[in-house]
PDB file of all heavy atoms in Angstrom:
ATOM      1  N   ASN O  29      -1.385  -6.672 -12.842  1.00 94.00           N
ATOM      2  CA  ASN O  29      -2.033  -7.019 -14.103  1.00 94.00           C
ATOM      3  C   ASN O  29      -2.832  -5.861 -14.702  1.00 94.00           C
ATOM      4  O   ASN O  29      -3.010  -5.786 -15.925  1.00 94.00           O
ATOM      5  CB  ASN O  29      -2.947  -8.232 -13.925  1.00 94.00           C
ATOM      6  CG  ASN O  29      -2.176  -9.521 -13.711  1.00 94.00           C
ATOM      7  OD1 ASN O  29      -0.988  -9.605 -14.043  1.00 94.00           O
ATOM      8  ND2 ASN O  29      -2.817 -10.521 -13.129  1.00 94.00           N
ATOM      9  N   GLU O  30      -3.311  -4.975 -13.849  1.00 94.00           N
ATOM     10  CA  GLU O  30      -4.096  -3.833 -14.338  1.00 94.00           C
ATOM     11  C   GLU O  30      -3.203  -2.706 -14.845  1.00 94.00           C
ATOM     12  O   GLU O  30      -3.687  -1.756 -15.463  1.00 94.00           O
ATOM     13  CB  GLU O  30      -5.016  -3.317 -13.228  1.00 94.00           C
ATOM     14  CG  GLU O  30      -6.125  -4.277 -12.842  1.00 94.00           C
ATOM     15  CD  GLU O  30      -7.118  -4.524 -13.965  1.00 94.00           C
ATOM     16  OE1 GLU O  30      -7.324  -3.611 -14.794  1.00 94.00           O
ATOM     17  OE2 GLU O  30      -7.668  -5.639 -14.026  1.00 94.00           O
ATOM     18  N   ASN O  31      -1.909  -2.785 -14.540  1.00 94.00           N
ATOM     19  CA  ASN O  31      -0.915  -1.861 -15.081  1.00 94.00           C
ATOM     20  C   ASN O  31      -1.255  -0.378 -14.884  1.00 94.00           C
ATOM     21  O   ASN O  31      -1.271   0.404 -15.848  1.00 94.00           O
ATOM     22  CB  ASN O  31      -0.707  -2.154 -16.574  1.00 94.00           C
ATOM     23  CG  ASN O  31       0.545  -1.486 -17.115  1.00 94.00           C
ATOM     24  OD1 ASN O  31       1.529  -1.315 -16.387  1.00 94.00           O
ATOM     25  ND2 ASN O  31       0.519  -1.104 -18.392  1.00 94.00           N
ATOM     26  N   PRO O  32      -1.492   0.053 -13.659  1.00 97.00           N
ATOM     27  CA  PRO O  32      -1.747   1.482 -13.435  1.00 97.00           C
ATOM     28  C   PRO O  32      -0.459   2.297 -13.591  1.00 97.00           C
ATOM     29  O   PRO O  32       0.639   1.790 -13.387  1.00 97.00           O
ATOM     30  CB  PRO O  32      -2.254   1.528 -11.999  1.00 97.00           C
ATOM     31  CG  PRO O  32      -1.599   0.356 -11.342  1.00 97.00           C
ATOM     32  CD  PRO O  32      -1.529  -0.712 -12.403  1.00 97.00           C
ATOM     33  N   GLN O  33      -0.615   3.562 -13.936  1.00 97.00           N
ATOM     34  CA  GLN O  33       0.554   4.448 -14.015  1.00 97.00           C
ATOM     35  C   GLN O  33       0.976   4.931 -12.632  1.00 97.00           C
ATOM     36  O   GLN O  33       2.128   5.329 -12.440  1.00 97.00           O
ATOM     37  CB  GLN O  33       0.224   5.668 -14.875  1.00 97.00           C
ATOM     38  CG  GLN O  33       0.016   5.379 -16.347  1.00 97.00           C
ATOM     39  CD  GLN O  33      -0.515   6.604 -17.060  1.00 97.00           C
ATOM     40  OE1 GLN O  33      -1.715   6.825 -17.106  1.00 97.00           O
ATOM     41  NE2 GLN O  33       0.379   7.406 -17.609  1.00 97.00           N
ATOM     42  N   LEU O  34       0.026   4.909 -11.696  1.00 98.00           N
ATOM     43  CA  LEU O  34       0.294   5.405 -10.350  1.00 98.00           C
ATOM     44  C   LEU O  34      -0.649   4.738  -9.377  1.00 98.00           C
ATOM     45  O   LEU O  34      -1.839   4.559  -9.666  1.00 98.00           O
ATOM     46  CB  LEU O  34       0.091   6.928 -10.296  1.00 98.00           C
ATOM     47  CG  LEU O  34       0.235   7.591  -8.915  1.00 98.00           C
ATOM     48  CD1 LEU O  34       1.689   7.540  -8.445  1.00 98.00           C
ATOM     49  CD2 LEU O  34      -0.276   9.025  -8.945  1.00 98.00           C
ATOM     50  N   VAL O  35      -0.113   4.363  -8.211  1.00 98.00           N
ATOM     51  CA  VAL O  35      -0.941   3.909  -7.089  1.00 98.00           C
ATOM     52  C   VAL O  35      -0.919   5.009  -6.028  1.00 98.00           C
ATOM     53  O   VAL O  35       0.155   5.466  -5.631  1.00 98.00           O
ATOM     54  CB  VAL O  35      -0.414   2.591  -6.485  1.00 98.00           C
ATOM     55  CG1 VAL O  35      -1.217   2.228  -5.228  1.00 98.00           C
ATOM     56  CG2 VAL O  35      -0.480   1.462  -7.500  1.00 98.00           C
ATOM     57  N   ILE O  36      -2.102   5.421  -5.588  1.00 97.00           N
ATOM     58  CA  ILE O  36      -2.205   6.355  -4.463  1.00 97.00           C
ATOM     59  C   ILE O  36      -2.690   5.555  -3.259  1.00 97.00           C
ATOM     60  O   ILE O  36      -3.803   5.020  -3.269  1.00 97.00           O
ATOM     61  CB  ILE O  36      -3.169   7.516  -4.773  1.00 97.00           C
ATOM     62  CG1 ILE O  36      -2.713   8.276  -6.016  1.00 97.00           C
ATOM     63  CG2 ILE O  36      -3.246   8.463  -3.571  1.00 97.00           C
ATOM     64  CD1 ILE O  36      -3.676   9.371  -6.460  1.00 97.00           C
ATOM     65  N   LEU O  37      -1.842   5.447  -2.257  1.00 95.00           N
ATOM     66  CA  LEU O  37      -2.117   4.636  -1.075  1.00 95.00           C
ATOM     67  C   LEU O  37      -2.316   5.542   0.131  1.00 95.00           C
ATOM     68  O   LEU O  37      -1.432   6.326   0.478  1.00 95.00           O
ATOM     69  CB  LEU O  37      -0.948   3.680  -0.822  1.00 95.00           C
ATOM     70  CG  LEU O  37      -0.968   2.869   0.481  1.00 95.00           C
ATOM     71  CD1 LEU O  37      -2.140   1.888   0.480  1.00 95.00           C
ATOM     72  CD2 LEU O  37       0.355   2.121   0.659  1.00 95.00           C
ATOM     73  N   ARG O  38      -3.487   5.441   0.747  1.00 93.00           N
ATOM     74  CA  ARG O  38      -3.764   6.219   1.958  1.00 93.00           C
ATOM     75  C   ARG O  38      -3.682   5.295   3.171  1.00 93.00           C
ATOM     76  O   ARG O  38      -4.482   4.370   3.325  1.00 93.00           O
ATOM     77  CB  ARG O  38      -5.135   6.881   1.894  1.00 93.00           C
ATOM     78  CG  ARG O  38      -5.330   7.928   2.995  1.00 93.00           C
ATOM     79  CD  ARG O  38      -6.698   8.537   2.935  1.00 93.00           C
ATOM     80  NE  ARG O  38      -6.746   9.786   3.704  1.00 93.00           N
ATOM     81  CZ  ARG O  38      -7.762  10.163   4.458  1.00 93.00           C
ATOM     82  NH1 ARG O  38      -8.833   9.391   4.575  1.00 93.00           N
ATOM     83  NH2 ARG O  38      -7.729  11.307   5.108  1.00 93.00           N
ATOM     84  N   ILE O  39      -2.739   5.564   4.035  1.00 90.00           N
ATOM     85  CA  ILE O  39      -2.539   4.748   5.228  1.00 90.00           C
ATOM     86  C   ILE O  39      -3.345   5.344   6.379  1.00 90.00           C
ATOM     87  O   ILE O  39      -3.268   6.545   6.647  1.00 90.00           O
ATOM     88  CB  ILE O  39      -1.048   4.676   5.585  1.00 90.00           C
ATOM     89  CG1 ILE O  39      -0.292   3.966   4.466  1.00 90.00           C
ATOM     90  CG2 ILE O  39      -0.837   3.963   6.917  1.00 90.00           C
ATOM     91  CD1 ILE O  39       1.210   4.051   4.582  1.00 90.00           C
ATOM     92  N   GLY O  40      -4.109   4.495   7.040  1.00 84.00           N
ATOM     93  CA  GLY O  40      -4.922   4.949   8.167  1.00 84.00           C
ATOM     94  C   GLY O  40      -6.404   4.786   7.947  1.00 84.00           C
ATOM     95  O   GLY O  40      -7.199   4.950   8.861  1.00 84.00           O
ATOM     96  N   ASP O  41      -6.826   4.446   6.714  1.00 79.00           N
ATOM     97  CA  ASP O  41      -8.212   4.101   6.451  1.00 79.00           C
ATOM     98  C   ASP O  41      -8.448   2.647   6.852  1.00 79.00           C
ATOM     99  O   ASP O  41      -7.514   1.918   7.185  1.00 79.00           O
ATOM    100  CB  ASP O  41      -8.536   4.290   4.964  1.00 79.00           C
ATOM    101  CG  ASP O  41      -8.863   5.741   4.620  1.00 79.00           C
ATOM    102  OD1 ASP O  41      -8.842   6.583   5.533  1.00 79.00           O
ATOM    103  OD2 ASP O  41      -9.136   6.021   3.447  1.00 79.00           O
ATOM    104  N   CYS O  42      -9.713   2.216   6.772  1.00 74.00           N
ATOM    105  CA  CYS O  42     -10.020   0.827   7.111  1.00 74.00           C
ATOM    106  C   CYS O  42      -9.281  -0.150   6.200  1.00 74.00           C
ATOM    107  O   CYS O  42      -8.918  -1.242   6.614  1.00 74.00           O
ATOM    108  CB  CYS O  42     -11.523   0.581   7.000  1.00 74.00           C
ATOM    109  SG  CYS O  42     -12.512   1.481   8.212  1.00 74.00           S
ATOM    110  N   THR O  43      -9.069   0.261   4.953  1.00 74.00           N
ATOM    111  CA  THR O  43      -8.426  -0.616   3.989  1.00 74.00           C
ATOM    112  C   THR O  43      -6.993  -0.953   4.388  1.00 74.00           C
ATOM    113  O   THR O  43      -6.531  -2.081   4.208  1.00 74.00           O
ATOM    114  CB  THR O  43      -8.458   0.035   2.595  1.00 74.00           C
ATOM    115  OG1 THR O  43      -9.830   0.222   2.221  1.00 74.00           O
ATOM    116  CG2 THR O  43      -7.767  -0.829   1.572  1.00 74.00           C
ATOM    117  N   LEU O  44      -6.268   0.003   4.917  1.00 76.00           N
ATOM    118  CA  LEU O  44      -4.910  -0.253   5.404  1.00 76.00           C
ATOM    119  C   LEU O  44      -4.678   0.614   6.645  1.00 76.00           C
ATOM    120  O   LEU O  44      -4.308   1.780   6.545  1.00 76.00           O
ATOM    121  CB  LEU O  44      -3.860   0.055   4.342  1.00 76.00           C
ATOM    122  CG  LEU O  44      -2.419  -0.318   4.727  1.00 76.00           C
ATOM    123  CD1 LEU O  44      -2.301  -1.828   4.953  1.00 76.00           C
ATOM    124  CD2 LEU O  44      -1.439   0.128   3.670  1.00 76.00           C
ATOM    125  N   ARG O  45      -4.946   0.041   7.792  1.00 72.00           N
ATOM    126  CA  ARG O  45      -4.810   0.781   9.044  1.00 72.00           C
ATOM    127  C   ARG O  45      -3.332   1.038   9.341  1.00 72.00           C
ATOM    128  O   ARG O  45      -2.481   0.212   9.074  1.00 72.00           O
ATOM    129  CB  ARG O  45      -5.454   0.013  10.188  1.00 72.00           C
ATOM    130  CG  ARG O  45      -6.937  -0.260   9.965  1.00 72.00           C
ATOM    131  CD  ARG O  45      -7.500  -1.124  11.078  1.00 72.00           C
ATOM    132  NE  ARG O  45      -8.847  -1.589  10.769  1.00 72.00           N
ATOM    133  CZ  ARG O  45      -9.957  -0.945  11.092  1.00 72.00           C
ATOM    134  NH1 ARG O  45      -9.876   0.207  11.735  1.00 72.00           N
ATOM    135  NH2 ARG O  45     -11.147  -1.431  10.789  1.00 72.00           N
ATOM    136  N   GLY O  46      -3.063   2.183   9.918  1.00 64.00           N
ATOM    137  CA  GLY O  46      -1.680   2.535  10.198  1.00 64.00           C
ATOM    138  C   GLY O  46      -1.108   1.883  11.428  1.00 64.00           C
ATOM    139  O   GLY O  46       0.106   1.941  11.669  1.00 64.00           O
ATOM    140  N   SER O  47      -1.955   1.224  12.238  1.00 66.00           N
ATOM    141  CA  SER O  47      -1.482   0.657  13.502  1.00 66.00           C
ATOM    142  C   SER O  47      -0.575  -0.556  13.300  1.00 66.00           C
ATOM    143  O   SER O  47       0.285  -0.844  14.132  1.00 66.00           O
ATOM    144  CB  SER O  47      -2.679   0.266  14.377  1.00 66.00           C
ATOM    145  OG  SER O  47      -3.550  -0.609  13.670  1.00 66.00           O
ATOM    146  N   ASN O  48      -0.759  -1.277  12.202  1.00 76.00           N
ATOM    147  CA  ASN O  48       0.067  -2.456  11.916  1.00 76.00           C
ATOM    148  C   ASN O  48       1.227  -2.024  11.018  1.00 76.00           C
ATOM    149  O   ASN O  48       1.140  -2.068   9.787  1.00 76.00           O
ATOM    150  CB  ASN O  48      -0.771  -3.545  11.249  1.00 76.00           C
ATOM    151  CG  ASN O  48      -0.018  -4.861  11.124  1.00 76.00           C
ATOM    152  OD1 ASN O  48       1.209  -4.901  11.112  1.00 76.00           O
ATOM    153  ND2 ASN O  48      -0.761  -5.956  11.021  1.00 76.00           N
ATOM    154  N   LYS O  49       2.330  -1.610  11.624  1.00 82.00           N
ATOM    155  CA  LYS O  49       3.461  -1.068  10.866  1.00 82.00           C
ATOM    156  C   LYS O  49       4.079  -2.094   9.934  1.00 82.00           C
ATOM    157  O   LYS O  49       4.519  -1.757   8.827  1.00 82.00           O
ATOM    158  CB  LYS O  49       4.505  -0.505  11.827  1.00 82.00           C
ATOM    159  CG  LYS O  49       4.032   0.731  12.592  1.00 82.00           C
ATOM    160  CD  LYS O  49       5.121   1.293  13.472  1.00 82.00           C
ATOM    161  CE  LYS O  49       4.641   2.537  14.216  1.00 82.00           C
ATOM    162  NZ  LYS O  49       5.692   3.103  15.100  1.00 82.00           N
ATOM    163  N   ASP O  50       4.129  -3.346  10.363  1.00 85.00           N
ATOM    164  CA  ASP O  50       4.702  -4.391   9.509  1.00 85.00           C
ATOM    165  C   ASP O  50       3.894  -4.547   8.220  1.00 85.00           C
ATOM    166  O   ASP O  50       4.460  -4.677   7.126  1.00 85.00           O
ATOM    167  CB  ASP O  50       4.749  -5.729  10.259  1.00 85.00           C
ATOM    168  CG  ASP O  50       5.788  -5.733  11.376  1.00 85.00           C
ATOM    169  OD1 ASP O  50       6.702  -4.879  11.330  1.00 85.00           O
ATOM    170  OD2 ASP O  50       5.685  -6.576  12.287  1.00 85.00           O
ATOM    171  N   ALA O  51       2.561  -4.546   8.358  1.00 84.00           N
ATOM    172  CA  ALA O  51       1.688  -4.682   7.186  1.00 84.00           C
ATOM    173  C   ALA O  51       1.845  -3.487   6.258  1.00 84.00           C
ATOM    174  O   ALA O  51       1.863  -3.634   5.026  1.00 84.00           O
ATOM    175  CB  ALA O  51       0.236  -4.832   7.620  1.00 84.00           C
ATOM    176  N   VAL O  52       1.973  -2.295   6.843  1.00 89.00           N
ATOM    177  CA  VAL O  52       2.144  -1.080   6.042  1.00 89.00           C
ATOM    178  C   VAL O  52       3.456  -1.144   5.258  1.00 89.00           C
ATOM    179  O   VAL O  52       3.488  -0.893   4.044  1.00 89.00           O
ATOM    180  CB  VAL O  52       2.118   0.172   6.941  1.00 89.00           C
ATOM    181  CG1 VAL O  52       2.582   1.404   6.167  1.00 89.00           C
ATOM    182  CG2 VAL O  52       0.721   0.402   7.501  1.00 89.00           C
ATOM    183  N   GLU O  53       4.544  -1.479   5.948  1.00 91.00           N
ATOM    184  CA  GLU O  53       5.856  -1.538   5.297  1.00 91.00           C
ATOM    185  C   GLU O  53       5.885  -2.608   4.209  1.00 91.00           C
ATOM    186  O   GLU O  53       6.466  -2.405   3.139  1.00 91.00           O
ATOM    187  CB  GLU O  53       6.938  -1.800   6.338  1.00 91.00           C
ATOM    188  CG  GLU O  53       7.170  -0.611   7.275  1.00 91.00           C
ATOM    189  CD  GLU O  53       8.150  -0.921   8.389  1.00 91.00           C
ATOM    190  OE1 GLU O  53       8.673  -2.062   8.410  1.00 91.00           O
ATOM    191  OE2 GLU O  53       8.373  -0.047   9.246  1.00 91.00           O
ATOM    192  N   LYS O  54       5.240  -3.747   4.465  1.00 91.00           N
ATOM    193  CA  LYS O  54       5.197  -4.816   3.471  1.00 91.00           C
ATOM    194  C   LYS O  54       4.413  -4.373   2.240  1.00 91.00           C
ATOM    195  O   LYS O  54       4.816  -4.653   1.096  1.00 91.00           O
ATOM    196  CB  LYS O  54       4.562  -6.074   4.072  1.00 91.00           C
ATOM    197  CG  LYS O  54       4.485  -7.235   3.091  1.00 91.00           C
ATOM    198  CD  LYS O  54       3.842  -8.465   3.723  1.00 91.00           C
ATOM    199  CE  LYS O  54       3.727  -9.590   2.705  1.00 91.00           C
ATOM    200  NZ  LYS O  54       3.067 -10.792   3.275  1.00 91.00           N
ATOM    201  N   THR O  55       3.294  -3.692   2.458  1.00 92.00           N
ATOM    202  CA  THR O  55       2.470  -3.226   1.340  1.00 92.00           C
ATOM    203  C   THR O  55       3.243  -2.242   0.474  1.00 92.00           C
ATOM    204  O   THR O  55       3.264  -2.351  -0.763  1.00 92.00           O
ATOM    205  CB  THR O  55       1.180  -2.570   1.859  1.00 92.00           C
ATOM    206  OG1 THR O  55       0.421  -3.542   2.599  1.00 92.00           O
ATOM    207  CG2 THR O  55       0.325  -2.044   0.712  1.00 92.00           C
ATOM    208  N   ILE O  56       3.909  -1.283   1.120  1.00 94.00           N
ATOM    209  CA  ILE O  56       4.692  -0.285   0.379  1.00 94.00           C
ATOM    210  C   ILE O  56       5.818  -0.957  -0.402  1.00 94.00           C
ATOM    211  O   ILE O  56       6.016  -0.696  -1.598  1.00 94.00           O
ATOM    212  CB  ILE O  56       5.250   0.779   1.334  1.00 94.00           C
ATOM    213  CG1 ILE O  56       4.113   1.642   1.878  1.00 94.00           C
ATOM    214  CG2 ILE O  56       6.293   1.653   0.630  1.00 94.00           C
ATOM    215  CD1 ILE O  56       4.547   2.626   2.959  1.00 94.00           C
ATOM    216  N   ALA O  57       6.551  -1.841   0.268  1.00 95.00           N
ATOM    217  CA  ALA O  57       7.698  -2.500  -0.370  1.00 95.00           C
ATOM    218  C   ALA O  57       7.266  -3.360  -1.549  1.00 95.00           C
ATOM    219  O   ALA O  57       7.934  -3.387  -2.598  1.00 95.00           O
ATOM    220  CB  ALA O  57       8.442  -3.346   0.663  1.00 95.00           C
ATOM    221  N   THR O  58       6.134  -4.059  -1.409  1.00 95.00           N
ATOM    222  CA  THR O  58       5.679  -4.950  -2.483  1.00 95.00           C
ATOM    223  C   THR O  58       5.231  -4.161  -3.708  1.00 95.00           C
ATOM    224  O   THR O  58       5.551  -4.527  -4.845  1.00 95.00           O
ATOM    225  CB  THR O  58       4.530  -5.852  -1.983  1.00 95.00           C
ATOM    226  OG1 THR O  58       4.950  -6.545  -0.806  1.00 95.00           O
ATOM    227  CG2 THR O  58       4.136  -6.861  -3.050  1.00 95.00           C
ATOM    228  N   ILE O  59       4.503  -3.072  -3.486  1.00 95.00           N
ATOM    229  CA  ILE O  59       4.058  -2.255  -4.621  1.00 95.00           C
ATOM    230  C   ILE O  59       5.262  -1.655  -5.344  1.00 95.00           C
ATOM    231  O   ILE O  59       5.338  -1.662  -6.585  1.00 95.00           O
ATOM    232  CB  ILE O  59       3.089  -1.149  -4.151  1.00 95.00           C
ATOM    233  CG1 ILE O  59       1.782  -1.772  -3.633  1.00 95.00           C
ATOM    234  CG2 ILE O  59       2.784  -0.173  -5.296  1.00 95.00           C
ATOM    235  CD1 ILE O  59       0.828  -0.780  -3.003  1.00 95.00           C
ATOM    236  N   GLU O  60       6.223  -1.159  -4.582  1.00 95.00           N
ATOM    237  CA  GLU O  60       7.411  -0.571  -5.208  1.00 95.00           C
ATOM    238  C   GLU O  60       8.228  -1.627  -5.941  1.00 95.00           C
ATOM    239  O   GLU O  60       8.830  -1.342  -6.996  1.00 95.00           O
ATOM    240  CB  GLU O  60       8.243   0.159  -4.166  1.00 95.00           C
ATOM    241  CG  GLU O  60       7.554   1.423  -3.655  1.00 95.00           C
ATOM    242  CD  GLU O  60       8.401   2.228  -2.690  1.00 95.00           C
ATOM    243  OE1 GLU O  60       9.226   1.610  -1.960  1.00 95.00           O
ATOM    244  OE2 GLU O  60       8.235   3.458  -2.654  1.00 95.00           O
ATOM    245  N   ALA O  61       8.236  -2.847  -5.426  1.00 96.00           N
ATOM    246  CA  ALA O  61       8.964  -3.927  -6.090  1.00 96.00           C
ATOM    247  C   ALA O  61       8.334  -4.290  -7.431  1.00 96.00           C
ATOM    248  O   ALA O  61       9.019  -4.832  -8.317  1.00 96.00           O
ATOM    249  CB  ALA O  61       9.005  -5.160  -5.187  1.00 96.00           C
ATOM    250  N   LEU O  62       7.051  -3.994  -7.593  1.00 95.00           N
ATOM    251  CA  LEU O  62       6.377  -4.244  -8.864  1.00 95.00           C
ATOM    252  C   LEU O  62       6.762  -3.221  -9.928  1.00 95.00           C
ATOM    253  O   LEU O  62       6.414  -3.376 -11.102  1.00 95.00           O
ATOM    254  CB  LEU O  62       4.851  -4.221  -8.661  1.00 95.00           C
ATOM    255  CG  LEU O  62       4.250  -5.328  -7.797  1.00 95.00           C
ATOM    256  CD1 LEU O  62       2.771  -5.059  -7.542  1.00 95.00           C
ATOM    257  CD2 LEU O  62       4.433  -6.696  -8.444  1.00 95.00           C
TER     258      LEU O  62
END
């Protein structure tokens, strides 16, 4: 809804920890699907 031109996603911070690979892959796939 905010319609950004670009999302910069840093994996490994508290916001999206890199240890949960399924969550990381889902987040990437969902943003790209948008």
Side-chain angles (χ1 to χ4, degrees):
N29 289 340
E30 292 295 330
N31 195 32
Q33 292 171 273
L34 176 69
V35 174
I36 302 175
L37 172 66
R38 192 182 197 219
I39 296 170
D41 277 0
C42 294
T43 299
L44 186 62
R45 301 175 190 270
S47 55
N48 189 336
K49 293 183 179 180
D50 290 340
V52 168
E53 290 174 2
K54 180 180 178 182
T55 299
I56 291 173
T58 306
I59 294 173
E60 291 184 330
L62 294 172

